[in-house]
Amino acid sequence: MSTKTYAGIPQKYAALETSKIVLIPVPYDGTSTWQKGADKGPEAFLDASENMELYDIETQTEVYKQGVYLADAITENSSPEAVVSEVHKTTKDYIKRNKFVTIFGGEHSISIGTIRAFNECFDDLTVLHIDAHADLRKDFHGSTCNHACAVYEASQTTNLVQVGIRSMDIAETRVMDEEKVFFAHDMAKDEYWMDKVIEALGENVFITFDLDAFDPSILPSTGTPEPGGLFWYETLDFLKQVFEEKNVVGFDIVELCPNEQERASDFVAAKLYYKMLTYKFAGTEEGDEYESNFNEAKKGVSKFNTEEDEY
């Protein structure tokens, strides 16, 4: 990672001690099964972010002034399980520093670790999964930490709400809670789908956003593009409503697979990340304290029986 600060922001807004926001890059692509290159996603995203205007016209704000600390990239890649473990540990460490933690991948398997960390730190967590794919396989190609398994664990341990789904294996229907799944073909005909999603969410929400949720006409550079996806302004309208009505405790964005001949996708990813931060901190003054509501009382052995959680 060549970028020294997120989006090239001044160092005064990029120090860990004073930043409300932490950004963790995870350049990993170990289990994807079609187009490779998601490990290059964080670098392309950061490069695009440096070339992005930082004044948000819609809200008339500059959210970077809340402070964005660019953490060291997680470079562990010895096995899918090791990656998930390192993402889990690093994410949890920053949550416990009272930061608004965000993660940019990398393939979707990294979200197993991010969701695990947030679920251990926040009560009654809802995972809002925005994706073209269901990602509900219990295991795939010999691992439970495969990109196709990204939200299986969340389906068992959190309130999982899935939005934009338009591709899945028949076996996933046996795991899926169809009352909390919003299929793309239904959303296209239902003007009230956003309100219905909001009703299904709990108070504390973690968002995992796979960029293939977008229609490939606006974001083609992803590992497995699927026709019939979300468009830009409907996505922003939906996200703004989620941030306004719920306590979004963090988010990750995954599956940017950059293409040197098509840089628009990198910029869409950069703008999406910045808009999500903007919606989170709308109405927050630069000098205001950020108060995470993570549960410090959640101590002891992790419900997932991972060694690094014993303390």
Side-chain angles (χ1 to χ4, degrees):
M1 296 291 168
S2 56
T3 306
K4 293 181 180 178
T5 66
Y6 163 72
I9 62 176
Q11 189 62 46
K12 66 180 282 191
Y13 297 114
L16 176 60
E17 295 74 19
T18 55
S19 292
K20 298 173 187 173
I21 301 152
V22 168
L23 166 58
I24 307 170
V26 189
Y28 175 69
D29 189 12
T31 75
S32 59
T33 48
W34 190 31
Q35 297 186 92
K36 291 286 189 179
D39 56 323
K40 305 297 193 299
E43 187 171 2
F45 155 76
L46 288 169
D47 180 62
S49 298
E50 282 199 68
N51 293 282
M52 176 182 66
E53 299 287 3
L54 297 177
Y55 173 72
D56 182 71
I57 298 171
E58 178 189 5
T59 60
Q60 301 179 31
T61 62
E62 296 173 292
V63 71
Y64 77 90
K65 291 183 178 178
Q66 303 291 336
V68 184
Y69 174 70
L70 178 60
D72 291 338
I74 294 175
T75 56
E76 171 65 59
N77 63 4
S78 60
S79 71
E81 293 74 19
V83 175
V84 166
S85 178
E86 187 62 26
V87 170
H88 168 225
K89 179 179 182 298
T90 303
T91 301
K92 194 168 181 179
D93 285 347
Y94 283 116
I95 292 171
K96 288 185 172 293
R97 288 175 179 242
N98 199 42
K99 303 297 183 181
F100 183 74
V101 183
T102 64
I103 302 91
F104 197 97
E107 59 160 77
H108 212 164
S109 67
I110 71 162
S111 297
I112 300 170
T114 63
I115 293 168
R116 189 177 292 176
F118 279 91
N119 193 26
E120 289 174 351
C121 292
F122 292 90
D123 295 324
D124 302 318
L125 187 72
T126 291
V127 172
L128 174 56
H129 173 220
I130 305 172
D131 199 332
H133 306 92
D135 289 348
L136 283 171
R137 288 174 168 89
K138 185 174 182 179
D139 58 79
F140 195 59
H141 290 181
S143 175
T144 59
C145 295
N146 189 282
H147 73 106
C149 313
V151 294
Y152 172 79
E153 188 176 282
S155 75
Q156 305 301 298
T157 62
T158 75
N159 175 36
L160 176 66
V161 178
Q162 301 183 275
V163 171
I165 308 302
R166 54 195 190 275
S167 178
M168 61 185 291
D169 185 81
I170 191 170
E172 293 172 283
T173 61
R174 294 190 285 273
V175 177
M176 177 176 281
D177 181 352
E178 292 198 17
E179 292 186 0
K180 295 182 179 179
V181 179
F182 296 83
F183 292 104
H185 67 277
D186 292 326
M187 292 162 55
K189 298 177 289 185
D190 185 356
E191 63 179 305
Y192 300 109
W193 71 263
M194 296 184 195
D195 295 331
K196 293 174 182 178
V197 174
I198 296 292
E199 289 177 7
L201 304 176
E203 182 58 27
N204 291 330
V205 177
F206 175 80
I207 302 173
T208 179
F209 197 115
D210 187 324
L211 291 166
D212 65 29
F214 283 123
D215 192 82
S217 62
I218 66 166
L219 197 147
S221 294
T222 186
T224 314
E226 295 278 352
L230 292 164
F231 292 99
W232 182 246
Y233 283 110
E234 69 174 327
T235 301
L236 293 190
D237 286 345
F238 172 56
L239 289 171
K240 185 177 183 179
Q241 192 172 341
V242 173
F243 277 94
E244 285 180 346
E245 299 192 26
K246 301 296 176 179
N247 178 38
V248 177
V249 297
F251 63 83
D252 67 31
I253 298 175
V254 297
E255 298 284 357
L256 176 63
C257 188
N259 176 354
E260 286 291 335
Q261 307 307 313
E262 192 281 302
R263 304 300 300 276
S265 293
D266 307 350
F267 209 78
V268 171
K271 291 286 284 189
L272 175 69
Y273 177 83
Y274 201 68
K275 289 297 287 189
M276 290 174 75
L277 290 187
T278 297
Y279 292 149
K280 172 63 181 177
F281 288 93
T284 304
E285 296 296 328
E286 185 180 329
D288 292 349
E289 289 288 324
Y290 173 66
E291 289 294 337
S292 172
N293 68 330
F294 76 90
N295 189 344
E296 294 184 90
K298 286 192 167 185
K299 297 190 181 294
V301 179
S302 162
K303 70 180 83 173
F304 304 102
N305 299 317
T306 52
E307 292 182 4
E308 71 270 13
D309 264 358
E310 296 183 15
Y311 54 93

